[in-house]
Amino acid sequence: MLLFAVLSATAQDDELPPPSSKPQTQGNQRPPDGDFQGFTTKKKVDLSKFIIEPNFNLSIGQGRIDVGLSPYVGYRVWEPNKKRGTGIGLYAGGGLTYFYTGFRNIQFTDNTGKSYFANANWHTFGGGAFLQYNIWKGLFARVRMEVLHRRLDDFYSGSVSVQVNPQNNTYKVIIPKIDKTIPALLVGAGYNLLQSRNFFFPLMVSYNVLHPFTSPSQRAYSIYPRGLVVQLGFINIF
């Protein structure tokens, strides 16, 4: 009987599968979710939802230089279901503006007819917000609200004075400085001249809705002196 028991146990051991380094789980059960989930990749920013308009301006003329920067960024807040992936939809965004204008050798004449020359400059800075609807390919409609502050050497007002030193025959032209804050609400449409859905270099035709409510004295110091505004990027061409 002892010999039979030993032979029987040996036979059972022969029927067991060979040892394995991969433990098996019963019933194909997965480990609890809270134990270990491994490493997850970070979600990338979807640039297709943005429009970027790096507006800039550089103009050099006789006795005048204009340098400006007005970057605007918009984010798509609504997209038609049938137009997904085309860039068509409603975008909301905003941006900042800085614009510098420098004048050289401006001529002034006193009561005796003698001429004097001086330099002057204008600084414009502020910001704005916009809503834009991309209609089809590069065509879009836009509403943009801007509040711009201007610090100007006011040589157009006629209050320029000249201090002359007869001892050394020198003079100093005194130009009064003024500050103006003028809002504008531009409503219009345009076309993106770049072959891109995300980067914009627009040709726009707009109307300043606040123009009729702005006094003539304020209009003279606005960067939009007329109601109708034609722009190429940041440059006003009308």
Side-chain angles (χ1 to χ4, degrees):
M1 292 178 61
L2 179 62
L3 179 60
F4 177 78
V6 172
L7 292 175
S8 179
T10 304
Q12 291 179 1
D13 292 338
D14 293 340
E15 294 176 358
L16 294 176
S20 174
S21 60
K22 298 181 179 180
Q24 298 181 355
T25 57
Q26 297 179 356
N28 295 328
Q29 294 181 353
R30 296 181 179 179
D33 294 337
D35 290 352
F36 179 73
Q37 296 182 355
F39 297 99
T40 58
T41 57
K42 295 182 178 179
K43 293 183 179 180
K44 296 182 180 180
V45 178
D46 188 1
L47 295 179
S48 66
K49 295 183 178 181
F50 290 86
I51 53 173
I52 302 172
E53 195 174 302
N55 299 317
F56 60 91
N57 180 24
L58 175 60
S59 176
I60 301 176
Q62 185 176 3
R64 175 170 176 165
I65 182 172
D66 295 278
V67 180
L69 182 64
S70 181
Y72 270 71
V73 178
Y75 181 79
R76 188 173 64 229
V77 295
W78 180 77
E79 183 182 19
N81 291 331
K82 297 181 180 180
K83 301 293 183 179
R84 291 193 178 278
T86 62
I88 295 176
L90 181 65
Y91 294 78
L96 301 174
T97 295
Y98 176 75
F99 193 82
Y100 169 80
T101 303
F103 300 89
R104 296 292 178 269
N105 297 324
I106 305 173
Q107 183 177 357
F108 301 96
T109 305
D110 61 8
N111 296 331
T112 63
K114 187 176 181 178
S115 296
Y116 301 91
F117 297 88
N119 300 330
N121 55 71
W122 297 347
H123 297 273
T124 303
F125 49 91
F130 72 92
L131 286 175
Q132 174 172 312
Y133 187 80
N134 288 356
I135 302 171
W136 179 75
K137 293 185 177 181
L139 186 65
F140 64 91
R142 179 186 293 181
V143 177
R144 184 168 73 184
M145 179 70 187
E146 288 183 337
V147 179
L148 300 179
H149 181 81
R150 309 198 77 185
R151 177 164 295 177
L152 313 169
D153 285 332
D154 190 19
F155 53 84
Y156 286 134
S157 64
S159 57
V160 178
S161 61
V162 180
Q163 294 180 348
V164 180
N165 188 345
Q167 296 180 355
N168 52 13
N169 197 24
T170 60
Y171 64 88
K172 180 180 180 182
V173 178
I174 301 176
I175 305 175
K177 291 185 177 293
I178 61 173
D179 290 87
K180 297 288 184 179
T181 300
I182 305 173
L185 180 59
L186 304 178
V187 179
Y191 183 79
N192 181 22
L193 298 180
L194 295 180
Q195 297 297 321
S196 172
R197 298 176 185 173
N198 306 107
F199 287 90
F200 267 60
F201 186 68
L203 174 64
M204 282 196 59
V205 179
S206 305
Y207 180 75
N208 184 8
V209 178
L210 300 183
H211 178 76
F213 307 99
T214 306
S215 64
S217 60
Q218 289 286 90
R219 296 174 189 172
Y221 297 103
S222 173
I223 64 172
Y224 308 118
R226 305 176 182 89
L228 184 65
V229 181
V230 180
Q231 292 179 306
L232 178 63
F234 183 54
I235 306 171
N236 293 348
I237 58 178
F238 181 78

